[in-house]
Amino acid sequence: MTRPTAAFFDLDKTIIAKSSTLAFSREFQAGGLISRRAMLRSAYAQLVFFTGGADHDQMDKMREFMSQLCAGWDVATVRDIVHETLSTIVEPLVYDEAVTLFEEHRAAGRDIVIVSASGSEVVEPIGELLGADRVVATRMEIADGRYTGNIDYYAYAEEKARAIEQLAASVGYDLSACYAYSDSITDVHMLEVVGHPFAVNPDKELRKVAATKGWPVLSFVRPVALRRRIPVPPARPTLAALAVGGAVAAGGVAWANRRKRSHDA
């Protein structure tokens, strides 16, 4: 029998047109969740992470700030708010080209799997919105129903590739017949584990790798109102989605670096 296959998608700048966490910055402030100063600092922290322009010391400082910001937030409240606002915030940012790929892969019988370093509280509802079959995302540590500010699992860089391989072993995917899409050099490992890798809106370094390895390069340029392509549930007005993904983005690199240093030691 033919083994099942999947198409693995990064999220930010691959499925949606900007950072899934930066997309909520104004809503954080408008909803009174954070001050204007904190909003600007968190947006900057996310932007630096998103563009890969911070050293270890900078990321440690950002991680500390973001961890303090989300520590103590009630998990159930965060999840409710994210679910209520995603269709308003994210729905207009989805690339039309990505939706087309989703449709083509489904028609070919492949599963759709989103693999993102952003927090599961953000990524899982986006996956549900898009009809993804599975989601791999970062998980924040929870104690007594609240976030501690620490990270349980960080879906970043090599860990994305490991997660895909583990999922393939569990589900039975034939990775040689699977597809993967990403914009970032940090996802080169994820792209290398499948038989059909694609660089989407690649950064400078990934573009070089794609050229060397002969990987196709795709340009996604048309964000589309998702409801024009697939049914989208109506959104209810609420405060805003919380910056769970932002805390992950700012803190995760430091977590990964500490893990690497412990291995090197």
Side-chain angles (χ1 to χ4, degrees), residues 34-76:
I34 57 177
S35 67
R36 175 175 173 77
R37 179 184 173 126
M39 184 274 288
L40 292 174
R41 288 182 66 192
S42 63
Y44 174 74
Q46 296 171 52
L47 180 61
V48 170
F49 170 80
F50 192 59
T51 56
D55 60 25
H56 297 330
D57 290 339
Q58 288 173 317
M59 292 308 297
D60 277 336
K61 292 177 182 179
M62 294 175 191
R63 176 199 57 78
E64 181 180 359
F65 166 68
M66 295 303 298
S67 296
Q68 290 174 353
L69 186 65
C70 74
W73 285 348
D74 180 74
V75 174

Side-chain angles (χ1 to χ4, degrees), residues 8-32:
F8 301 94
F9 288 83
D10 176 43
L11 180 59
D12 298 343
K13 294 178 68 177
T14 302
I15 295 176
I16 63 176
K18 63 167 68 175
S19 164
S20 55
T21 51
L22 279 172
F24 293 101
S25 294
R26 290 185 180 181
E27 283 68 24
F28 303 157
Q29 184 190 11

Side-chain angles (χ1 to χ4, degrees), residues 121-138:
E121 291 80 2
V122 171
V123 182
E124 288 177 1
I126 291 177
E128 182 178 354
L129 186 71
L130 294 170
D133 297 283
R134 292 178 175 83
V135 161
V136 175
T138 295

Side-chain angles (χ1 to χ4, degrees), residues 6-230:
F8 301 94
F9 288 83
D10 176 43
L11 180 59
D12 298 343
K13 294 178 68 177
T14 302
I15 295 176
I16 63 176
K18 63 167 68 175
S19 164
S20 55
T21 51
L22 279 172
F24 293 101
S25 294
R26 290 185 180 181
E27 283 68 24
F28 303 157
Q29 184 190 11
L33 299 172
I34 57 177
S35 67
R36 175 175 173 77
R37 179 184 173 126
M39 184 274 288
L40 292 174
R41 288 182 66 192
S42 63
Y44 174 74
Q46 296 171 52
L47 180 61
V48 170
F49 170 80
F50 192 59
T51 56
D55 60 25
H56 297 330
D57 290 339
Q58 288 173 317
M59 292 308 297
D60 277 336
K61 292 177 182 179
M62 294 175 191
R63 176 199 57 78
E64 181 180 359
F65 166 68
M66 295 303 298
S67 296
Q68 290 174 353
L69 186 65
C70 74
W73 285 348
D74 180 74
V75 174
T77 300
V78 171
R79 289 174 177 167
D80 286 345
I81 293 174
V82 169
H83 274 280
E84 291 171 357
T85 59
L86 267 178
S87 61
T88 301
I89 304 304
V90 174
E91 187 261 344
L93 298 175
V94 177
Y95 280 120
D96 187 43
E97 296 92 339
V99 176
T100 297
L101 276 177
F102 274 38
E103 293 171 345
E104 291 176 353
H105 285 300
R106 286 195 189 98
R110 301 184 191 98
D111 286 350
I112 305 297
V113 183
I114 297 175
V115 187
S116 175
S118 293
S120 60
E121 291 80 2
V122 171
V123 182
E124 288 177 1
I126 291 177
E128 182 178 354
L129 186 71
L130 294 170
D133 297 283
R134 292 178 175 83
V135 161
V136 175
T138 295
R139 297 188 301 272
M140 297 294 289
E141 182 181 73
I142 297 171
D144 299 323
R146 296 182 180 276
Y147 296 107
T148 68
N150 298 321
I151 297 174
D152 262 346
Y153 172 75
Y154 189 43
Y156 175 75
E158 293 95 333
E159 186 57 37
K160 283 190 177 183
R162 282 191 287 269
I164 290 172
E165 290 173 332
Q166 291 169 2
L167 190 58
S170 173
V171 178
Y173 292 139
D174 178 2
L175 288 180
S176 67
C178 287
Y179 292 68
Y181 302 85
S182 179
D183 70 290
S184 174
I185 187 61
T186 62
D187 287 340
V188 67
H189 308 285
M190 163 183 164
L191 296 173
E192 287 176 335
V193 298
V194 302
H196 303 282
F198 289 81
V200 176
N201 299 337
D203 59 29
K204 184 177 179 181
E205 294 304 315
L206 181 58
R207 188 176 292 275
K208 290 180 181 177
V209 172
T212 300
K213 293 181 175 289
W215 293 347
V217 174
L218 305 179
S219 295
F220 290 1
V221 297
R222 298 193 303 273
V224 65
L226 195 59
R227 66 186 69 250
R228 296 179 183 175
R229 300 291 305 269
I230 61 177

